[in-house]
Amino acid sequence: MKKLILLFSLIAILALSTLGFADTVQIGTGTATTSYLPIYGFYGYNYTQQIYLQTQINKSGNITKLRFFYVSGAITNSKDWVIYMGHTTKTSFSSTTDWVPLANLTQVFAGDVSSYLPAANNWMEIPLTTPFNYNNTDNLVIAVDENTSGYASMSWGAFTSGSNTGIYYYSDSVNPDPASPPTATSRTGSIDRIQLVFPNTSAPLAPTLLYPSNGGWAFTNDVLSWIPTMGAGDASTYDVYFGTASNPPLVSSNQTATTYTPTLAAGTTYYWKVVARNEIGDSPASDIWSFKTPTTTQLAESFEGSFPPAGWANPGSWTRYSTYYKHGTASAYKYGSTTTQYILSTPKVTITSTSTLDFWALCSPASGILQIVYSPDRTTWTQVGSDITFAATYTWYHNVIDLSSLAGNNYYLGFRTGLQSASFYVDAVFGPEITPEAPGPVTLTSPANGATMVSTLPTFTWTAPTT
Ligand SMILES: [Ca+2]
């Protein structure tokens, strides 16, 4: 264990020291958020300034891009920004009127930033129209003037810097003039995590692969995705290697997107890796990851179509829900009760000694308990595996339930809510092969049994089997 701690410390020290020489300088780490900076989306108009210390930056040169960490919220009503940068000897704002004057600032960007907004919890990169040549002697002030009326809450990545290193004004009625800013609404030490991008002096680091997870399942319409790894030169393009060989061939070169859409066959194991490139050179290749696709007859469900899916049964009245999902755009959802447990049943599956039920689940509040159950007849259900608990609310957790104790049987599997008032969500379900089954009996409807006086040319009608 001590060796492990030593290793992690070493990695941490390496990571920190690399950061200082990086072409991209990140200031602030962690997962804290703020609503107030760089703009307070919940108010019509904003003017903010934030001070980043020379000791936090420690790199001189042209800043060509600025990144804020976008957490959530719609930007439609907060999209028109003017961004300024400047050198300052201030280390904090001494009062709510202690703005850095506009005369000491350089306008580096003006325009609509909505096209730069990434998916939630990603860096929003704003290319500067005028790069800012930072002297690495003074501190850096970044000012944002937001000029779109209307509002919607937004959230941004933050960290705790020195006290009063952020100052902000917001108003629904007054659009502040950066040349004569009003008395600020407030000051704060919780300012934005940012990245300052300098021209590259080194090749990028190997990209970080995201999805499909290594050794995991993927649906046959899935897309490969990765993110650049910070700490060296910025990646401008990527080479993608993909295929069924364990050292896969190049399939896409110099692409700018951080996704690749492969053609996937059912029941196949694939391998992939990505190389990042820039004008200096190529990164080392990422690790080689593999994933497998389900066969056409395997339990594999993302709840994207009609609900319940074909072959499933829904005695517990679960519903398809599109607010939370792990895969695609929807999941299966049920609100639990303290008196009744609600089951969503899979088709009957053929369980072998290597069978698992692999799925993602989310719960709110975290006190909910989900159970996996099995049944030969969808009437009598027995739990398999332990109760599934949730360490945190509104967080997707990956679960792999070992079904080997049921090997040799064909059973229906079920997701069963515990006796808690909680919202349960299930998505991206992969399980054993679905048991081939003859259809159940049809129900005759007309002519009625024993009917008399029936037409000599009767029309026979019946309803389809329900199983
Ligand atoms: Ca889904």
Side-chain angles (χ1 to χ4, degrees):
M1 192 60 186
K2 264 186 185 161
K3 269 187 186 162
L4 209 60
I5 290 169
L6 197 66
L7 183 68
F8 283 137
S9 311
L10 203 64
I11 289 170
I13 289 163
L14 275 174
L16 279 175
S17 58
T18 311
L19 221 55
F21 300 101
D23 301 321
T24 294
V25 173
Q26 179 170 330
I27 304 164
T29 56
T31 57
T33 62
T34 178
S35 299
Y36 299 106
L37 296 166
I39 57 114
Y40 188 21
F42 210 62
Y43 276 79
Y45 305 104
N46 290 258
Y47 186 55
T48 69
Q49 292 185 350
Q50 302 180 73
I51 292 172
Y52 295 91
L53 302 179
Q54 179 277 329
T55 49
Q56 292 173 316
I57 304 169
N58 197 27
K59 183 179 174 72
S60 64
N62 271 325
I63 298 167
T64 58
K65 300 170 187 170
L66 171 63
R67 299 189 187 123
F68 294 104
F69 192 81
Y70 165 69
V71 175
S72 64
I75 204 160
T76 316
N77 294 328
S78 307
K79 63 186 173 56
D80 297 302
W81 294 17
V82 182
I83 304 176
Y84 304 88
M85 288 186 180
H87 293 111
T88 182
T89 53
K90 280 188 206 300
T91 55
S92 66
F93 298 101
S94 63
S95 72
T96 50
T97 56
D98 187 30
W99 301 94
V100 173
L102 189 63
N104 297 6
L105 300 173
T106 303
Q107 182 179 313
V108 295
F109 175 88
D112 180 343
V113 295
S114 47
S115 66
Y116 306 125
L117 200 72
N121 294 303
N122 275 287
W123 289 99
M124 177 171 120
E125 177 177 286
I126 302 170
L128 304 186
T129 323
T130 308
F132 184 77
N133 194 356
Y134 178 61
N135 64 17
N136 201 24
T137 304
D138 295 314
N139 301 320
L140 176 70
V141 58
I142 298 177
V144 176
D145 177 27
E146 185 271 302
N147 296 297
T148 317
S149 64
Y151 60 89
S153 63
M154 295 192 75
S155 186
W156 305 88
F159 74 108
T160 302
S161 194
S163 61
N164 298 326
T165 45
I167 185 170
Y168 54 91
Y169 172 85
Y170 56 80
S171 171
D172 277 334
S173 53
V174 177
N175 188 359
D177 179 2
S180 56
T183 299
T185 314
S186 192
R187 295 173 294 157
T188 180
S190 174
I191 65 173
D192 288 322
R193 295 203 296 280
I194 59 164
Q195 290 182 344
L196 305 172
V197 180
F198 294 84
N200 290 323
T201 56
S202 60
L205 297 178
T208 303
L209 306 187
L210 289 184
Y211 185 85
S213 55
N214 191 20
W217 292 102
F219 294 91
T220 48
N221 61 354
D222 270 335
V223 172
L224 314 183
S225 66
W226 61 89
I227 51 171
T229 307
M230 296 302 162
D234 259 24
S236 49
T237 62
Y238 301 93
D239 287 354
V240 184
Y241 296 76
F242 165 80
T244 54
S246 59
N247 193 7
L250 179 68
V251 291
S252 172
S253 52
N254 266 324
Q255 65 164 64
T256 53
T258 55
T259 58
Y260 175 76
T261 304
T263 302
L264 299 176
T268 308
T269 297
Y270 291 99
Y271 300 85
W272 62 297
K273 66 179 180 182
V274 181
V275 172
R277 307 175 67 168
N278 68 16
E279 68 280 14
I280 308 291
D282 295 357
S283 78
S286 69
D287 291 339
I288 296 177
W289 278 19
S290 73
F291 64 90
K292 53 207 168 175
T293 54
T295 68
T296 54
T297 48
Q298 185 179 340
L299 178 63
E301 188 54 55
S302 180
F303 308 107
E304 299 301 298
S306 60
F307 195 89
W312 289 59
N314 188 19
S317 299
W318 288 56
T319 51
R320 180 175 180 271
Y321 203 81
S322 57
T323 304
Y324 298 98
Y325 46 82
K326 181 60 190 177
H327 179 269
T329 58
S331 63
Y333 159 76
K334 183 65 189 179
Y335 188 72
S337 135
T338 55
T339 53
T340 309
Q341 293 186 280
Y342 301 102
I343 291 175
L344 174 65
S345 168
T346 73
K348 187 180 279 185
V349 294
T350 302
I351 302 172
T352 71
S353 60
T354 58
S355 290
T356 59
L357 184 65
D358 184 309
F359 63 96
W360 290 77
L362 175 150
C363 192
S364 167
S367 55
I369 289 171
L370 188 67
Q371 296 173 333
I372 300 305
V373 290
Y374 67 92
S375 171
D377 53 11
R378 283 179 168 159
T379 302
T380 308
W381 293 93
T382 308
Q383 186 175 355
V384 57
S386 314
D387 286 351
I388 294 157
T389 57
F390 299 84
T393 186
Y394 287 118
T395 305
W396 285 103
Y397 290 100
H398 186 213
N399 296 276
V400 181
I401 307 299
D402 178 6
L403 302 177
S404 62
S405 64
L406 310 178
N409 295 288
N410 298 338
Y411 283 140
Y412 299 99
L413 301 175
F415 296 93
R416 184 166 74 182
T417 62
L419 294 173
Q420 300 88 32
S421 299
S423 295
F424 295 88
Y425 303 83
V426 169
D427 201 4
V429 176
F430 293 92
E433 288 288 316
I434 293 172
T435 309
E437 283 191 287
V442 299
T443 305
L444 305 184
T445 49
S446 181
N449 189 21
T452 56
M453 304 293 283
V454 174
S455 158
T456 55
L457 292 170
T459 300
F460 296 112
T461 62
W462 61 90
T463 54
T466 53
T467 56

